[in-house]
Amino acid sequence: MLVAEAVADVLTGLGADTVFGVVGSGNFHVTNALTARGARFVAARHECGAASMADAWTRTSGRTALLSLHQGPGFTNALTGITEAAKARTPLLVLAADVAGQAVRSNFRIGVDALATAVGAVPERVYSAESAVADTTRAYQTAIRERRTVVLALPLDVQAAAVSGPIDGRASSVTEPRAGTAGAAATGTAGTGTAGAALTEPAPAAEALGALVGALRWAARPVFVAGRGARIARARPDLERLADACGALLATSAAAKGLFRGSPWDLDVSGGFASPLAAELIKDADLIVSWGCALNMWTTRHGTLIGPDTAVVQVDLDAAAIGAHRPANLGVVGDVAATARAAAAELAGPAAPGYRSAGLRARIAREVRWRDVPFKDESGGGRVDPRALSIALDAMLPAERVVAVDSGNFMGYPSMYLSVPDADAFCFTQAFQSVGLGLASAIGAAIAAPQRLPVAALGDGGALMGISELETVVRLGLPMVIVVYDDEAYGAEVHHFGPAGHPVHTVTFPPADIAAIGRGFGCDGCTVRDVDDLSALTRWLDGPRERPIVIDAKVTAEHGSWWLEEAFRGH
């Protein structure tokens, strides 16, 4: 058996079964070996798109995808998507072909390890035929155990070498949960196969747990803010049980939107996307407990959502995350779900009312959603207000949806107005804040959740940047709704620099018929200039949905989105 085949044997034996990528000569054999062993290969049209698909698939499914890349430009093309995954702590394994050791003058020679390190990924390498099984197993385990994006370099000469002896990558290893058990690996309870070892959830120190429980007993107005760590840990039931015991209200970071959907105490997203009522209640809290959430400038509105007398507790698996963005009165190192369970056990007894009351519950039900917040509809002159557009879309689209949002001036509108059934239904690839990843992210999420209608929310800049993946949507037969908030500009720059008198001709563009571009790729397409034009979407939803639909929404652009104006002001 060749090393390329042995790598595939080990990975499929550990449970990896979904691979994204673009195949060149360097990753041809390892990709074919994976598919020969039953793995599904999803071909993208650009390596950055493949990386974003793999990232989104992993976030949505709770399992670890593989990303297969050609040497040299195959890897560098994917770097932006890999950086997003690495910054988001997505457990992803990148199979990066590399030149042979002796090919010192090859055009394809680059510092794979150095590039991986530079963007925050973990560099690993298959060093020899003798170490191939151990090297591959180590890399895959690192991705799962440490929740990291790992780049496994596969030199061509090593790939072609013969492996002697049995291939058993499962011994003393962590295996991936099979389909239907999404999230098990992320929570530390990975399926163990025949010879695997289960992961344990790190519990908090007794002293820290006692201090946390003391703070919860003291608080009269506690608020929980759950982030990516809570989502990965599948911690909703444990956090809700603890919140019921102490009377806490529930909010999330944008990355964990939907985690508490359906709870009467759900404030939705904290930070720039928070509704006026949510912002008011969070700011008036006397205790904020962050659960796997960074409490960065976005989640706290540059700190303005944390009152001057509010106590802050951070619970995180990563000790370095505690206090990284703002001081915390108490830091608790431990798994979010395990810590919440332990705290609830300590709080056993009659539930405290805390922040909760019948009147507040009614007010939350009436006011906390953005669609219930009054606004002046500025539609007109052939352009639709993005708020009115988003509210109409939310009413029209089926509840069982998965929403992926690109980056840009527009991004708050779908993030605030489009509801999702749970946290796995919201794909928010904003750890690197790169424009152009949204469409590919929607593809990865759609493949991970085929029972849900995929919705890609894009700006015109990001849509055109990642447009090649429209072919992938059509080729895969995904019944996707692709909404382009089209202001014919890079709106963030227009609204940041324009008011100061700077010329903005470099970031504005003539009108583009994006609906026609979509039809050229094989999609249905419609142009929306007012809400009534969405009748085309109604017909598509009522029909067989044989092709994806591209909605080119010509949105108003007189001023920037309020959340971005606030971010630029720094308060």
Side-chain angles (χ1 to χ4, degrees):
M1 182 180 292
L2 301 182
V3 166
E5 298 167 321
V7 168
D9 229 34
V10 170
L11 292 174
T12 54
L14 292 171
D17 59 11
T18 304
V19 191
F20 297 85
V22 175
V23 172
S25 59
N27 62 329
F28 183 86
H29 293 302
V30 71
T31 306
N32 280 350
L34 286 162
T35 61
R37 287 155 178 79
R40 178 184 184 181
F41 176 67
V42 179
R45 284 301 188 176
H46 192 282
E47 287 90 351
C48 185
S52 295
M53 292 175 203
D55 180 17
W57 186 90
T58 297
R59 298 187 197 204
T60 304
S61 69
R63 302 179 64 240
T64 302
L66 304 179
L67 172 61
S68 179
L69 303 172
H70 178 56
Q71 73 265 29
F75 182 61
T76 58
N77 277 350
L79 270 179
T80 299
I82 291 171
T83 305
E84 166 66 30
K87 287 182 177 290
R89 293 293 291 266
T90 300
L92 173 66
L93 182 60
V94 181
L95 303 178
D98 198 6
V99 298
Q102 69 272 21
V104 294
R105 296 297 183 185
S106 170
N107 288 353
F108 292 144
R109 178 169 288 281
I110 56 174
V112 174
D113 294 3
L115 285 170
T117 301
V119 302
V122 177
E124 288 283 3
R125 180 170 290 270
V126 175
Y127 290 98
S128 66
E130 292 73 23
S131 67
V133 170
D135 294 339
T136 304
T137 303
R138 181 182 65 252
Y140 194 66
Q141 288 180 342
T142 298
I144 296 176
R145 284 179 170 160
E146 298 182 19
R147 301 172 186 170
R148 299 291 300 274
T149 296
V150 177
V151 175
L152 180 63
L154 299 172
L156 296 183
D157 52 343
V158 178
Q159 284 194 55
V163 176
S164 59
I167 305 299
D168 185 9
R170 293 172 295 174
S172 301
S173 64
V174 177
T175 59
E176 184 77 300
R178 295 294 181 180
T181 59
T187 62
T189 55
T192 59
T194 58
L199 296 175
T200 57
E201 298 169 333
E207 182 179 356
L209 179 63
L212 168 61
V213 171
L216 294 173
R217 286 185 173 135
W218 160 83
R221 298 183 306 280
V223 171
F224 289 178
V225 182
R228 197 188 312 276
R231 173 180 173 174
I232 291 172
R234 307 287 170 176
R236 173 175 178 164
D238 300 305
L239 290 174
E240 283 191 315
R241 193 174 303 113
L242 180 59
D244 290 343
C246 67
L249 305 182
L250 301 165
T252 71
S253 69
K257 177 182 170 70
L259 185 68
F260 300 117
R261 183 66 69 244
S263 167
W265 308 108
D266 178 21
L267 304 181
D268 203 29
V269 175
S270 174
F273 297 163
S275 68
L277 177 59
E280 172 193 327
L281 294 172
I282 294 167
K283 190 171 183 177
D284 286 346
D286 58 3
L287 174 68
I288 289 178
V289 185
S290 158
W291 299 91
C293 176
L295 291 183
N296 59 25
M297 61 180 241
W298 305 104
T299 307
T300 67
R301 291 190 179 178
H302 292 275
T304 61
L305 290 188
I306 299 177
D309 299 319
T310 302
V312 175
V313 176
Q314 271 191 272
V315 180
D316 206 289
L317 196 60
D318 181 5
I322 296 173
H325 294 278
R326 57 152 295 115
N329 299 93
L330 172 66
V332 181
V333 178
D335 178 83
V336 168
T339 301
R341 283 197 301 273
E346 291 287 327
L347 277 176
Y355 215 157
R356 302 180 177 186
S357 68
L360 182 57
R361 177 172 177 160
R363 192 178 174 202
I364 290 172
R366 190 172 60 246
E367 300 178 37
V368 84
R369 297 185 307 172
W370 269 107
R371 63 178 299 165
D372 297 324
V373 177
F375 70 97
K376 180 183 177 182
D377 190 341
E378 298 178 354
S379 300
R383 293 197 170 272
V384 62
D385 190 310
R387 295 166 294 185
L389 170 74
S390 302
I391 290 172
L393 288 169
D394 189 53
M396 297 172 67
L397 296 170
E400 280 299 313
R401 65 185 75 153
V402 56
V403 178
V405 181
D406 207 333
S407 192
N409 180 67
F410 81 96
M411 60 188 277
Y413 301 113
S415 299
M416 292 184 284
Y417 288 99
L418 298 185
S419 60
V420 290
D422 53 47
D424 288 336
F426 190 64
C427 192
F428 193 67
T429 48
Q430 302 297 331
F432 195 35
Q433 293 179 255
S434 172
V435 170
L437 306 183
L439 179 58
S441 295
I443 295 170
I447 294 170
Q451 75 282 9
R452 289 175 163 167
L453 179 71
V455 180
L458 318 173
D460 54 305
L464 293 170
M465 192 178 292
I467 200 72
S468 63
E469 299 307 343
L470 266 186
E471 189 278 336
T472 305
V473 179
V474 173
R475 170 166 37 88
L476 296 178
L478 300 176
M480 185 179 292
V481 177
I482 301 156
V483 184
V484 181
Y485 290 72
D486 184 0
D487 63 357
E488 297 163 6
Y490 291 127
E493 284 66 34
V494 168
H495 298 296
H496 182 41
F497 295 107
H502 298 290
V504 294
H505 63 280
T506 56
V507 289
T508 55
F509 302 90
D513 191 344
I514 296 176
I517 293 172
R519 288 191 290 271
F521 275 92
C523 304
D524 288 334
C526 69
T527 300
V528 172
R529 297 184 181 277
D530 59 51
V531 169
D532 291 341
D533 292 336
L534 286 173
S535 57
L537 175 60
T538 300
R539 292 191 295 273
W540 184 89
L541 290 168
D542 292 340
R545 305 181 193 176
E546 293 176 342
R547 302 192 298 176
I549 183 170
V550 174
I551 299 170
D552 182 9
K554 306 297 186 180
V555 296
T556 56
E558 283 71 28
H559 52 77
S561 54
W562 64 93
W563 64 270
L564 195 57
E565 290 175 350
E566 179 179 77
F568 282 147
R569 287 195 304 267
H571 59 80

